[in-house]
């Protein structure tokens, strides 16, 4: 599935082999510095990427948007579908959406889209700044978003716009990475690979922490059971290490 996702990414943005390699470095960098996993991106980019590319957006734009979803607890695949639906409705808004937006923000929705040239990241950022960056009451923010993208997608797009307002978080980090050049992405990948290969014990600790993090949604009981198993195994290893060499071998 990862290979299919990379091929799709190459086709969407018509990348050369070198550009694909650079993009992999970029995505690995994002995974290393944000909560967004490489698999999250590979699964979601083919869904949203086609429309983002058609509207003048880049792989980096798509990744920033997906990271905003991930930071707010929305699965990237759900977020990708939300981007598609929302952009369709934003570019062709209903009269009710235009009127509600004008009434509660004092701004023109078509004017906003014209200013951003309909590019997804710029458009969502402008919407985030307009709706959430001022003094509009939360209830009115929800009215605007629901009218704009529909009730079904409103919670997802609310999360996206909120993520784009967060300062110092994963979204800002993803934007910073996007602004760097391919040489910097490659250097980060090389550094990460060096760290991985130089410390097997470090990797075991990282794997265990990741495993526990994945178990959190399952519940405390399962996590306690697994912790007990790990502690038991640790005790066995300590006992083994304490045995005389002739017994071990």
């Amino acid at each position: 599935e990862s290979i299919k996702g990379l091929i799709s990414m190459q086709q969407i943005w018509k990348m050369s082999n070198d550009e694909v390699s650079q993009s992999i470095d970029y995505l690995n960098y994002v995974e290393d510095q944000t909560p967004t996993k490489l698999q999250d991106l590979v699964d979601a980019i083919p869904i949203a990427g086609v429309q983002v590319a058609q509207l003048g957006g880049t792989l980096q734009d798509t990744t920033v948007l997906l990271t905003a979803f991930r930071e707010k607890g929305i699965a990237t695949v759900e977020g990708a579908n939300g981007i598609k639906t929302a952009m369709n409705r934003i570019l062709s808004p209903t009269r009710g959406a235009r009127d509600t937006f004008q009434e509660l923000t004092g701004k023109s929705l078509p004017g906003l889209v014209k200013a951003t040239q309909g590019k997804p990241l710029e458009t969502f950022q402008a919407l985030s700044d307009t709706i959430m960056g001022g003094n509009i009451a939360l209830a009115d923010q929800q009215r605007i978003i629901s009218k704009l993208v529909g009730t079904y997608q409103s919670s997802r797009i609310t999360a996206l716009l909120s993520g784009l307002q967060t300062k110092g978080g994963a979204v800002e980090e993803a934007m910073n990475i996007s602004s760097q050049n391919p040489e910097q992405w490659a250097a980060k990948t090389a550094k990460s690979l060096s760290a991985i290969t130089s410390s097997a014990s470090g990797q075991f600790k990282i794997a265990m922490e990741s495993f526990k993090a994945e178990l959190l949604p399952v519940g405390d009981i399962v996590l306690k059971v697994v912790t007990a198993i790990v502690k038991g195994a640790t005790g066995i290893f300590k006992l083994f290490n304490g045995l005389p060499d002739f017994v071990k071998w």
Side-chain angles (χ1 to χ4, degrees):
E1 291 301 318
S2 296
I3 296 298
K4 290 180 181 178
L6 292 173
I7 292 172
S8 177
M9 182 179 73
Q10 183 178 27
Q11 293 173 338
I12 290 170
W13 281 282
K14 298 178 174 58
M15 296 178 179
S16 66
N17 290 337
D18 284 345
E19 288 172 332
V20 171
S21 178
Q22 293 167 0
S23 296
I24 292 172
D25 287 337
Y26 163 74
L27 295 176
N28 278 321
Y29 198 164
V30 171
E31 179 184 47
D32 189 62
Q33 299 295 314
T34 76
T36 311
K37 298 179 182 178
L38 182 60
Q39 193 62 52
D40 292 332
L41 298 170
V42 170
D43 289 343
I45 285 172
I47 298 172
V50 173
Q51 187 178 46
V52 172
Q54 289 174 344
L55 294 172
T58 64
L59 168 65
Q60 289 75 25
D61 294 343
T62 311
T63 302
V64 169
L65 292 171
L66 294 174
T67 299
F69 282 114
R70 189 72 173 81
E71 186 175 35
K72 294 300 180 180
I74 304 294
T76 52
V77 169
E78 291 183 16
N81 283 309
I83 291 171
K84 289 174 59 179
T85 301
M87 283 307 301
N88 286 335
R89 298 190 65 148
I90 291 166
L91 295 176
S92 300
T94 63
R95 180 173 180 178
R98 292 196 305 271
D99 291 347
T100 300
F101 190 88
Q102 180 77 49
E103 175 191 348
L104 297 177
T105 70
K107 296 183 179 180
S108 163
L109 179 58
L112 181 148
V113 172
K114 183 178 180 180
T116 63
Q117 299 179 338
K119 293 182 178 180
L121 177 57
E122 287 84 345
T123 299
F124 283 120
Q125 185 67 67
L127 287 171
S128 176
D129 293 341
T130 301
I131 297 171
M132 297 183 174
N135 298 315
I136 298 176
L138 290 176
D140 287 337
Q141 291 179 20
Q142 288 301 308
R143 281 182 60 198
I144 297 168
I145 295 169
S146 293
K147 279 286 188 180
L148 196 56
V149 302
T151 304
Y152 182 74
Q153 294 292 350
S154 63
S155 61
R156 297 186 180 100
I157 301 306
T158 297
L160 170 61
L161 300 185
S162 175
L164 292 173
Q165 280 296 297
T166 303
K167 305 302 179 185
V171 176
E172 188 170 310
E173 183 62 33
M175 288 181 174
N176 290 336
I177 295 170
S178 297
S179 69
Q180 296 180 25
N181 59 50
E183 288 75 20
Q184 291 172 296
W185 302 336
K188 177 62 178 179
T189 297
K191 184 177 179 180
S192 297
L193 287 175
S194 176
I196 290 171
T197 56
S198 66
S199 176
S201 61
Q203 279 306 293
F204 179 75
K205 291 177 182 178
I206 292 170
M208 288 305 301
E209 290 302 316
S210 296
F211 182 49
K212 287 193 289 183
E214 292 294 338
L215 282 175
L216 284 177
V218 179
D220 289 339
I221 295 176
V222 174
L223 187 57
K224 289 176 182 177
V225 170
V226 172
T227 302
I229 293 171
V230 172
K231 285 183 177 178
T234 302
I236 293 172
F237 291 145
K238 286 182 178 178
L239 178 63
F240 179 77
N241 287 332
L243 294 173
D245 288 342
F246 72 87
V247 174
K248 294 179 183 177
W249 306 107

